[in-house]
Amino acid sequence: MKKKAVFLDRDGVINALVYHQDAGIIDAPFTRSQFKLLPRVPEAIKLLNDLGLRVAIVSNQPGIAKGHLRPDMLKVFERAMLSQIRAAGGRIDGTYYCLHHPEAKVRKLRQHCRCRKPEIGLLELAAAELHVPLAECYMIGDGIPDLLAGLRATCRTIFIGRWKCEICQFTEAPHMRPALVAKDLWEAAQLIRSEMAGAVQVASSPNCLVAQA
């Protein structure tokens, strides 16, 4: 099972989600002080690099469209993220963001597009620029749009978090399951390492799916 690249969602996988008390929502960070990498993320990315895998961020980022943050703040977040990953010896080979939203406050960003997950435009672009076939990639995310995009693009999918089969009722495909489940990116990277070495055992039942290294 030869894989060549790993696509990562950002919020909830790379950095922590934030509770915005004023709006009463859990969302991506809006300010620099709110942007914090999750534990062992730089080490996980270095491990993926050491496995010979290309690593790219593919993320819906509608914050600018919704008026939650300034356009330059996305670059501030990216610089902080890349700096911390480089400090641990890791490397990101590309970052791909969808800035659109069908209900955007910013008119030029208000559209239905092919790049917003669960559509696969971002994944197609990343694969083309990294020169890797989509079928030879992993898609790692913490949300249903990530998994649907990965499945539609023929990637091998990994869900970050606690998979509950009740989630399936909210998806467009009730039979949809991630290939693997991990509590965080570090565990996901270890599962990939084990899988590439042929050592992962996947146990499934009619009601759940669990991956164990």
Side-chain angles (χ1 to χ4, degrees), residues 14-16 32-46 76-92:
I14 299 291
N15 59 274
R32 173 63 186 90
S33 63
Q34 293 173 339
F35 188 85
K36 301 181 186 301
L37 293 196
L38 289 163
R40 305 198 76 175
V41 160
E43 293 83 358
I45 291 172
K46 182 180 185 303
V76 171
F77 294 161
E78 185 171 318
R79 286 195 295 269
M81 173 182 70
L82 296 179
S83 175
Q84 293 177 67
I85 291 169
R86 282 195 298 266
R91 181 189 70 255
I92 296 293

Side-chain angles (χ1 to χ4, degrees), residues 52-122:
L53 296 164
R54 311 294 295 275
V55 179
I57 309 296
V58 289
S59 178
N60 295 345
Q61 290 296 324
I64 297 170
K66 292 180 177 180
H68 291 325
L69 67 155
R70 305 188 314 271
D72 64 324
M73 191 56 62
L74 195 60
K75 286 294 184 183
V76 171
F77 294 161
E78 185 171 318
R79 286 195 295 269
M81 173 182 70
L82 296 179
S83 175
Q84 293 177 67
I85 291 169
R86 282 195 298 266
R91 181 189 70 255
I92 296 293
D93 296 293
T95 54
Y96 303 88
Y97 301 133
C98 171
L99 304 181
H100 307 116
H101 194 278
E103 299 176 2
K105 292 182 179 179
V106 179
R107 184 175 296 274
K108 67 179 181 179
L109 297 176
R110 187 188 307 150
Q111 59 175 282
H112 293 274
C113 60
R114 289 197 69 254
C115 55
R116 181 174 170 80
K117 293 176 292 183
E119 301 299 327
I120 66 171
L122 276 189

